[in-house]
Amino acid sequence: MTAQQFFSRLKKIFPEKQILTQDVQLLPYESDALTAFKTKPRAVVLPETEQEVIDAVRLCYEMDVPFVARGSGTSLSGGSLPIKDGLVIALNRLNKIVKLDPQQRIAVVQPGVVNLHITHAAQVHGLYYAPDPSSQLICTIGGNIAFNSGGAHCLKYGMTSNHVLGIRAVLADGTVAEFGSESLDGVGVGADLVGLFVGSEGLFGIALEIIVRLLPKPEKYRTVLAAYDNLGKAGDAVGQVVASGLLPSAMEIMDNLAIQAAEASVNAGYPQDAQGLLIVELEGESEQVESEFEHLEQVIRASGAHEIRVAQSDEERTLIWKGRKGAFSAVGRISPDYVVQDGVVPRSYLGEALTEISRLSKAYDLRVANVFHAGDGNLHPLILYDGKQSGALEKAEALAGEILQLCISLGGSITGEHGVGMEKRDYMGAMFSEVDLEVMQEIRRAFDPKEIANRGKMFPSGEAPALKLHGMHPLEKKGVISRE
Amino acid sequence: MNLQPTNTEELQAVILENKSLLLRGGGTKTALSTVANESMILDMGKINGIIEYEPSEYTFTAYAGTPLRTIVAALAEHGQYLPFDPLLVEKGATIGGTVAANTSGSGRWRYGGVRDFILGIRFVDGQGRSVRSGGKVVKNAAGFDLSKFFVGSIGRFGALVEMTFKVFPQPRHYMTLQMTYAILANAMQAIFALTTSPLETDAVDIETYRDEIVVLIRLGGLETALAGRVERLKNFLSQNSPVEAIEIIEDDLQLWQSVNHLEWASDYSSFIKVPIAPRQVEDLEMKLQLIQSKRRYSAAGNIAWLAINDDSQIAALLNDLQLVGLRILGPADSPFIGQLKGRDMLQRMKQVLDPHNIFGDI
Ligand SMILES: Cc1cc2nc3c(=O)[nH]c(=O)nc-3n(C[C@H](O)[C@H](O)[C@H](O)COP(=O)(O)OP(=O)(O)OC[C@H]3O[C@@H](n4cnc5c(N)ncnc54)[C@H](O)[C@@H]3O)c2cc1C
């Protein structure tokens, strides 16, 4: 097959203006938010109908051209990085909310719908879409499905997978498949194909239409800030809250570096002397939340916090979250470059893991800031370095690797929500056996016999593209998005 | 004679030595664990026990053959529970069978079903390979999520050996509100009002087999708030549709236990689960009324449970509505009734995990 043949076929599917081939047009698609990697695709197509997506996939399959589905390109693990000479299928124009049924609490959406737009559409009915990645202003449901994305408020009601009821998808060989339904219990008759598809990192095919479930907006929130004179103590407090039998909707931790950076940029009113700051939020029916709140205060007092603040108004709550959600980007701004990991440890080992990370930080002589989803043990260490110094990137990468090994040795995982993508594929072997990986490969080939969907991602591989500098997502620099 | 391996190695050997096997946990779900052909029974009952339970972590790992009863008791000692409310606990159902049949009970309404709590599994596939997926922590995005895939797989893709779950603190107190309606439409109107309100409920069941339509709504939480919440719910529901009678059941444990054991369905030989959308309740009920049977709808109308003797007419009916049912009790022939979705993808998974079709057709 020649490039010419491919293009002439492509033009039969898409009007010319929906095909991008010139260098300047391709530039924005060369990386995702893991800016260390860059690859130029052969072309980018901008489908406006489901049929165009299906036809594009079928063409790729027939002509053996690898493709990458792309939402908003905010993947932090190189998931939406193009494949050399491959096709990028950008789904942002498939952005319709097809149906919203408040009584059944569901929405049917196209893959390019932005996460937060579902909540915007649902809120007139008192409903919302629960998973809230910090990138929710721009990231798409298609991308969320690929990575089973989470957010600060996924502790009580789960991640993306727990909110998807049905999917129609085009598999990598061009077959269109439909599974799940509008029922809350519609998956899991004959096996749960929705559960399998969500988190498959775009390796099986492209989601075309998705049924998500909506939740009623909680009546009441109680948001508590607790300051500790040492980070390990804050980590231990998480275990104590969990063990107390409370079920908060969010539990987040920031360390001193993150607090300072957040204060400088947002002025959230955090206690600046704290070495560890714990944010706990309860939500639900008023009476129940008030009762739980009394209980929570006792647990937090007993955990050795030297200062406790409770949001007294909606404005104060919003400010606390603004500081938290902006902390990541704020830390990014105080360093020329950084790498971020998202390993997971069992919650009762949080104190231990944080102490070890701070020891490693000293040993490597690199600053590490911690801002993370503590309630489910999902660390987000930001390793700060200056890429202009020779060897600094390699040192940061080595430290990041040690943190991932630490997570594995404590019985955790190499990724809680950012996915394996390009970045962590070489750590898969540390978590899974050869047989586990072999079975996963076979499953992948069952849906994608030619390995054309997201080729080179997720599975360990010898050659990796050269690492360049790590830095902020361009939209982050502009302050359009922030991360957790 | 049943095959009863006691560990993974024996299990692998059994799978490699046999041509046709039917997996059995506690044998409580007769339609799924009784042989209809020349298969041998592969009984997982001897691979049992809790492997790891860390109360402060709110997770546990157990072997597939572990009776739910054992797990429920261990969790209760620490005030914890399985929020998906698995069926047939006291009848001897196992955790492996619960995952395979995807039998979440009425309590799944509050926080989700089996799929929402399973974190990791190890299984032996049809080629004798011992495979792990997922992990032991509450959040994990590495690798394909085979743990969820196995939920509802009725033993057709491999033998689950062990699995890890997250659990939640059990509400300290419960109360149930029993609402009686003259017609189903009134009940559904009340339920739709409830599900779009911020009022939190643990179970919402509809019973259509009594003289009138009965809706049972369970609330759980801290004692100090519970009575007030029930009162509020009662007023809310009374305002939203015409109700005939309201009763508050303070001591509701037995009531829900009997639902868990399917006592209401015990005078029928077949028992079928049909996931439906709440909007389909009235239509389905109208059609089923014409067939001698008993129906219950749980999770606010998201699951229909059907107790029936002769289910020969059901397939056509479910096909019409593009629904699929799973026969849990009753004759052991084809377990799926109606339209199974994603069959092509299931076949492909079958090719990978059980290419010699040892574990039976989908
Ligand atoms: C500032 C910032 C903050 C972030 N915060 C969080 C956070 O809190 N939690 C979190 O989990 N993640 C977070 N992320 C990561 C990222 O936003 C998520 O992974 C998100 O789901 C990606 O969505 P996207 O639309 O940008 O997808 P893309 O980056 O475009 O694509 C991601 C992957 O999805 C695949 N894909 C896209 N569409 C489809 C489809 N329709 N069908 C199948 N596969 C598809 C792509 O091939 C790719 O592999 C953050 C990222 C940034 C930059």
Side-chain angles (χ1 to χ4, degrees):
Chain A
M1 184 237 13
T2 66
Q4 218 180 357
Q5 277 172 326
F6 180 71
F7 280 115
S8 80
R9 291 281 301 274
L10 210 54
K11 282 182 193 151
K12 289 200 181 115
I13 304 173
F14 294 96
E16 208 133 341
K17 61 178 193 336
Q18 286 171 240
I19 307 176
L20 313 179
T21 51
Q22 282 159 27
D23 281 1
V24 287
Q25 294 177 313
L26 299 180
L27 201 65
Y29 296 91
E30 284 181 0
S31 323
D32 54 19
L34 180 67
T35 44
F37 296 109
K38 272 193 176 51
T39 310
K40 196 191 292 295
R42 178 186 305 223
V44 175
V45 288
L46 308 168
E48 293 181 354
T49 65
E50 201 173 292
Q51 193 56 46
E52 287 173 351
V53 180
I54 296 168
D55 290 343
V57 168
R58 287 182 178 161
L59 177 66
C60 287
Y61 182 69
E62 186 190 323
M63 297 193 124
D64 242 322
V65 173
F67 69 84
V68 175
R70 185 174 172 112
S72 296
T74 65
S75 161
L76 289 168
S77 58
S80 40
L81 180 78
I83 299 160
K84 193 172 171 307
D85 287 331
L87 185 68
V88 170
I89 304 177
L91 299 157
N92 310 71
R93 294 186 180 182
L94 288 170
N95 61 357
K96 276 195 271 311
I97 295 179
V98 180
K99 170 174 163 183
L100 199 142
D101 182 342
Q103 294 191 321
Q104 296 200 112
R105 294 204 318 217
I106 55 154
V108 181
V109 304
Q110 290 188 315
V113 168
V114 167
N115 174 301
L116 195 59
H117 293 177
I118 304 181
T119 292
H120 286 162
Q123 64 196 10
V124 294
H125 307 289
L127 303 171
Y128 75 114
Y129 178 65
D132 63 337
S134 325
S135 49
Q136 70 181 147
L137 274 174
I138 56 161
C139 69
T140 64
I141 290 299
N144 293 173
I145 284 200
F147 284 136
N148 190 18
S149 301
H153 290 83
C154 286
L155 197 52
K156 200 166 177 178
Y157 297 108
M159 318 269 291
T160 298
S161 199
N162 306 103
H163 298 268
V164 176
L165 303 180
I167 296 176
R168 179 165 63 241
V170 54
L171 301 179
D173 66 0
T175 319
V176 176
E178 229 179 294
F179 35 96
S181 72
E182 290 184 6
S183 168
L184 206 52
D185 212 71
V187 294
V189 182
D192 181 351
L193 290 166
V194 170
L196 179 68
F197 196 92
V198 178
S200 61
E201 303 203 0
L203 265 58
F204 296 161
I206 301 182
L208 300 168
E209 195 171 281
I210 301 114
I211 308 173
V212 297
R213 76 170 169 134
L214 305 169
L215 293 181
K217 197 175 169 308
E219 182 176 47
K220 174 96 192 172
Y221 295 99
R222 273 295 197 175
T223 314
V224 181
L225 276 184
Y228 297 85
D229 57 12
N230 122 7
L231 188 58
K233 259 196 213 169
D236 291 338
V238 171
Q240 287 153 17
V241 173
V242 172
S244 76
L246 286 164
L247 200 59
S249 57
M251 266 201 279
E252 304 280 313
I253 285 183
M254 295 165 70
D255 69 5
N256 189 263
L257 195 51
I259 297 168
Q260 299 295 342
E263 273 304 298
S265 81
V266 173
N267 221 328
Y270 294 151
Q272 302 228 24
D273 58 335
Q275 293 305 308
L277 185 67
L278 176 64
I279 306 173
V280 186
E281 186 160 279
L282 299 168
E283 61 165 53
E285 249 181 88
S286 302
E287 280 192 64
Q288 173 75 12
V289 169
E290 290 306 342
S291 300
E292 287 175 359
F293 176 60
E294 281 173 29
H295 192 143
L296 176 66
E297 269 194 311
Q298 288 165 11
V299 178
I300 297 280
R301 277 192 209 294
S303 70
H306 67 261
E307 190 178 340
I308 301 171
R309 294 187 196 168
V310 181
Q312 300 297 337
S313 63
D314 265 0
E315 291 72 47
E316 278 188 37
R317 169 177 182 257
T318 308
L319 198 58
I320 288 174
W321 282 113
K322 198 170 166 206
R324 164 63 188 88
K325 296 208 173 194
F328 208 107
S329 311
V331 176
R333 272 182 216 112
I334 61 174
S335 169
D337 301 288
Y338 62 82
V339 275
V340 58
Q341 291 299 343
D342 89 311
V344 186
V345 297
R347 294 173 279 207
S348 38
Y349 290 109
L350 267 177
E352 190 177 329
L354 291 168
T355 307
E356 179 61 13
I357 290 175
S358 99
R359 190 193 68 75
L360 286 168
S361 158
K362 288 200 189 79
Y364 276 81
D365 193 22
L366 286 173
R367 289 186 298 168
V368 177
N370 291 285
V371 197
F372 63 100
H373 309 309
D376 35 35
N378 191 189
L379 301 167
H380 281 10
L382 264 92
I383 302 163
L384 312 183
Y385 69 97
D386 182 355
K388 288 191 284 295
Q389 289 174 9
S390 84
L393 169 63
E394 290 71 20
K395 210 161 93 173
E397 296 260 286
L399 171 50
E402 286 214 41
I403 294 174
L404 290 187
Q405 295 293 356
L406 169 71
C407 293
I408 297 171
S409 71
L410 290 174
S413 167
I414 56 175
T415 171
E417 56 183 21
H418 297 167
V420 176
M422 211 64 195
E423 185 205 28
K424 287 181 282 281
R425 55 186 188 164
D426 289 329
Y427 292 94
M428 284 290 274
M431 238 188 108
F432 295 105
S433 75
E434 266 174 46
V435 175
D436 303 340
L437 289 172
E438 168 191 298
V439 169
M440 281 188 224
Q441 285 272 25
E442 287 175 20
I443 291 173
R444 184 262 189 96
R445 282 195 289 271
F447 302 118
D448 181 8
K450 295 183 174 175
E451 299 190 15
I452 52 172
N454 267 338
R455 179 180 289 171
K457 318 254 173 97
M458 191 153 123
F459 292 104
S461 134
E463 29 117 31
L467 279 174
K468 302 212 186 68
L469 290 187
H470 292 247
M472 267 198 246
H473 191 268
L475 288 173
E476 226 180 330
K477 279 196 182 137
K478 285 194 210 144
V480 177
I481 51 171
S482 55
R483 61 175 94 178
E484 294 185 29
Chain B
M1 189 202 69
N2 297 346
L3 302 160
Q4 275 201 326
T6 61
N7 57 39
T8 303
E9 293 70 39
E10 287 176 22
L11 174 65
Q12 287 173 303
V14 166
I15 290 171
L16 289 173
E17 282 158 15
N18 284 278
K19 283 206 163 58
S20 182
L21 294 167
L22 182 74
L23 283 154
R24 177 187 287 174
T28 54
K29 298 178 250 303
T30 49
L32 303 173
S33 54
T34 316
V35 279
N37 53 22
E38 72 289 359
S39 302
M40 301 275 282
I41 294 277
L42 171 45
D43 184 340
M44 295 296 291
K46 288 248 157 79
I47 303 185
N48 76 45
I50 295 173
I51 302 168
E52 225 178 293
Y53 170 37
E54 197 56 67
S56 66
E57 203 54 53
Y58 280 75
T59 57
F60 73 89
T61 304
Y63 285 115
T66 315
L68 289 171
R69 204 192 284 124
T70 309
I71 295 169
V72 167
L75 294 175
E77 272 183 40
H78 299 275
Q80 303 180 10
Y81 81 132
L82 298 167
F84 50 93
D85 187 18
L87 292 183
L88 299 164
V89 175
E90 289 306 323
K91 302 263 173 180
T94 62
I95 188 77
T98 299
V99 173
N102 188 16
T103 36
S104 305
S106 304
R108 68 99 63 224
W109 170 242
R110 180 71 182 94
Y111 294 111
V114 175
R115 75 185 302 266
D116 299 301
F117 289 87
I118 194 162
L119 301 175
I121 55 169
R122 188 164 63 81
F123 64 95
V124 175
D125 78 354
Q127 303 184 61
R129 297 180 289 191
S130 171
V131 185
R132 218 176 253 290
S133 169
K136 292 190 172 168
V137 278
V138 294
K139 198 168 175 185
N140 171 30
F144 300 142
D145 194 347
L146 295 179
S147 315
K148 282 205 182 65
F149 174 78
F150 264 79
V151 175
S153 62
I154 56 164
R156 296 302 196 261
F157 299 90
L160 286 162
V161 179
E162 58 175 77
M163 51 217 90
T164 302
F165 281 89
K166 70 172 175 179
V167 296
F168 276 169
Q170 174 134 33
R172 309 235 172 113
H173 294 272
Y174 287 102
M175 274 194 209
T176 294
L177 198 58
Q178 176 174 313
M179 312 284 293
T180 308
Y181 295 94
I183 51 168
L184 184 56
N186 291 348
M188 287 314 293
Q189 193 179 322
I191 286 173
F192 283 139
L194 174 66
T195 53
T196 40
S197 81
L199 301 181
E200 293 174 342
T201 50
D202 280 61
V204 178
D205 271 27
I206 311 164
E207 296 174 344
T208 62
Y209 49 82
R210 308 217 211 161
D211 293 339
E212 290 177 288
I213 304 293
V214 171
V215 177
L216 294 164
I217 306 174
R218 193 176 205 204
L219 275 79
L222 294 173
E223 194 175 17
T224 43
L226 199 55
R229 288 174 55 212
V230 170
E231 199 52 34
R232 186 174 169 204
L233 177 64
K234 197 175 103 180
N235 293 335
F236 176 85
L237 290 172
S238 325
Q239 282 158 19
N240 272 292
S241 84
V243 56
E244 307 304 309
I246 304 177
E247 194 188 328
I248 295 171
I249 305 169
E250 290 198 7
D251 199 355
D252 66 357
L253 188 65
Q254 254 191 332
L255 162 72
W256 290 103
Q257 267 178 357
S258 94
V259 173
N260 188 280
H261 303 156
L262 312 180
E263 261 161 46
W264 64 273
S266 59
D267 38 358
Y268 286 87
S269 58
S270 276
F271 183 69
I272 300 165
K273 169 188 169 174
V274 188
I276 59 170
R279 275 196 200 294
Q280 294 173 300
V281 170
E282 285 180 72
D283 193 18
L284 184 65
E285 178 63 16
M286 212 167 64
K287 296 194 159 97
L288 287 171
Q289 266 170 5
L290 308 172
I291 302 170
Q292 171 63 30
S293 63
K294 261 182 166 181
R295 284 91 43 203
R296 181 183 194 92
Y297 300 86
S298 56
N302 280 279
I303 309 173
W305 303 100
L306 177 57
I308 192 166
N309 283 327
D310 171 14
D311 62 26
S312 55
Q313 293 171 58
I314 298 298
L317 196 154
L318 293 183
N319 266 323
D320 266 1
L321 295 168
Q322 302 206 358
L323 291 170
V324 64
L326 177 71
R327 194 190 290 113
I328 292 170
L329 306 179
D333 37 277
S334 64
F336 303 114
I337 307 172
Q339 279 198 7
L340 183 61
K341 281 196 180 177
R343 204 180 266 278
D344 163 63
M345 282 181 81
L346 295 175
Q347 293 294 1
R348 297 187 199 203
M349 288 297 284
K350 185 87 178 160
Q351 273 307 309
V352 172
L353 297 175
D354 184 26
H356 311 302
N357 197 14
I358 292 171
F359 297 118
D361 296 325
I362 302 160

